[in-house]
Amino acid sequence: MTLFAFSTLNHSTLFGEGTTIADQIVAAARAGFPLLSPDFFSVRTYRKDGGTLAELAELQHTHGIRSYDVAGLTVSDDDEATKREAEELAEIGAALGAEWMQVRVTEPIDEAVRDRYAWCRDACARAGLGVAVEFSPFTPIRTISDAQDVLATRGGEGARGGVIVDSFHVCRGATTWEELDALPLDELAFVQFDDALPPGDDGRADTMHRRALPGEGDLDLARFAAGLRKRGFDGVVSVEVLAAHDRGEPVESFARRCRESSEPYWR
């Protein structure tokens, strides 16, 4: 049975929104989401304002929702900053009961980057988290095969990994339908699901601001979802709609529309 997670990124403090992570937990639960994909920008702001991870964990418990993955760790060319962020996010993920850490690798893969990634993978493993590698046309990890290459990096005891498959990056990126069809399901960490408005002049702006609720854009979501379902996928679908035109909407109704628009594709 497919389970849905609500991504908090669209109404996060990354975009200057006033909605707190506590507000988003309550909204997601009331909208019927059993799972949450919290963003670390909002969690960091909550803690800076005096809140604690224990309070967030208790709020999740009270409302019958739990975190599934945390967005997200960036493996960059800055060794110290990457490791510091990995430790912070691993603490967040462990406290909120998450299973996965989202990971973006922004540098071409070489020995130093592999070592840095392996260090982060082991830090997450110690906190009980797997690492879920995201491919994107805007990073050197552009395809499913690229993500699999990163995941092949040796990890320590208890390390586990998987690929994040995002409908936007499949439909607008360099990976192919054939590559998606060939991805073993046991290598798929979870799905991120969203639609998108027709492409604009800036692909990076499109991915951050011009996505859309499923059914309100031009991505071939029917093919995307049907291909995975036909192969037996019944894992977690995180609804990650990054849409500037929806940021003024109260998170309560936005979360509800995210769930209602996504569910028909996965029945």
Side-chain angles (χ1 to χ4, degrees):
M1 177 181 176
T2 299
L3 294 177
F4 292 91
F6 176 68
S7 169
T8 65
L9 194 55
N10 197 56
H11 282 65
S12 79
T13 55
L14 173 65
F15 300 113
E17 294 296 311
T19 307
T20 70
I21 188 65
D23 294 334
Q24 299 222 53
I25 289 171
V26 174
R30 289 177 176 171
F33 282 96
L35 301 172
L36 193 75
S37 297
D39 69 281
F40 86 94
F41 304 102
S42 295
V43 176
R44 180 181 284 171
T45 299
Y46 182 83
R47 298 177 79 183
K48 183 179 178 181
D49 290 343
T52 68
L53 294 177
E55 290 170 343
L56 289 181
E58 180 60 28
L59 187 64
Q60 287 186 148
H61 177 74
T62 297
H63 289 274
I65 193 170
R66 67 180 178 88
S67 291
Y68 185 71
D69 60 286
V70 177
L73 171 63
T74 297
V75 179
S76 70
D77 61 351
D78 187 325
D79 191 69
E80 182 179 347
T82 297
K83 292 178 178 178
R84 184 170 59 247
E85 187 173 276
E87 290 177 333
E88 177 189 5
L89 268 67
E91 179 190 12
I92 291 171
L96 299 184
E99 297 182 31
W100 294 99
M101 178 66 65
Q102 293 185 35
V103 176
R104 296 171 64 252
V105 180
T106 60
E107 301 302 311
I109 298 299
D110 59 17
E111 185 176 352
V113 172
R114 285 193 186 278
D115 287 347
R116 195 169 301 129
Y117 164 80
W119 191 97
C120 294
R121 182 175 183 167
D122 290 346
C124 288
R126 290 191 294 272
L129 300 164
V131 291
V133 175
E134 182 173 19
F135 62 91
S136 161
F138 311 110
T139 72
I141 312 305
R142 301 177 66 241
T143 66
I144 288 173
S145 296
D146 292 337
Q148 289 173 309
D149 178 55
V150 174
L151 289 166
T153 304
R154 184 181 298 277
E157 184 177 356
R160 58 188 176 89
V163 179
I164 300 172
V165 174
D166 187 321
S167 55
F168 183 94
H169 297 321
V170 170
C171 295
R172 292 275 177 89
T175 209
T176 65
W177 291 111
E178 291 75 19
E179 196 174 18
L180 176 60
D181 291 341
L183 175 66
L185 292 182
D186 62 1
E187 295 181 22
L188 199 169
F190 57 92
V191 167
Q192 289 180 330
F193 197 56
D194 47 77
D195 212 330
L197 302 179
D201 297 329
D202 184 343
R204 291 183 182 274
D206 288 347
T207 195
M208 296 302 291
H209 305 294
R210 288 175 50 81
R211 302 197 198 191
L213 292 168
E216 295 186 1
D218 66 1
L219 302 187
D220 194 350
L221 298 185
R223 179 176 182 179
F224 176 82
L228 289 168
R229 286 192 293 107
K230 184 178 180 180
R231 293 202 291 131
F233 173 77
D234 63 352
V236 171
V237 174
S238 179
V239 186
E240 186 187 61
V241 177
L242 303 179
H245 54 275
D246 286 326
R247 287 189 187 126
E249 178 180 3
V251 70
E252 292 83 359
S253 56
F254 175 72
R256 185 180 67 253
R257 292 198 302 132
C258 282
R259 182 184 59 78
E260 292 174 348
S261 62
S262 299
E263 285 182 341
Y265 291 92
W266 299 94
R267 290 173 180 159

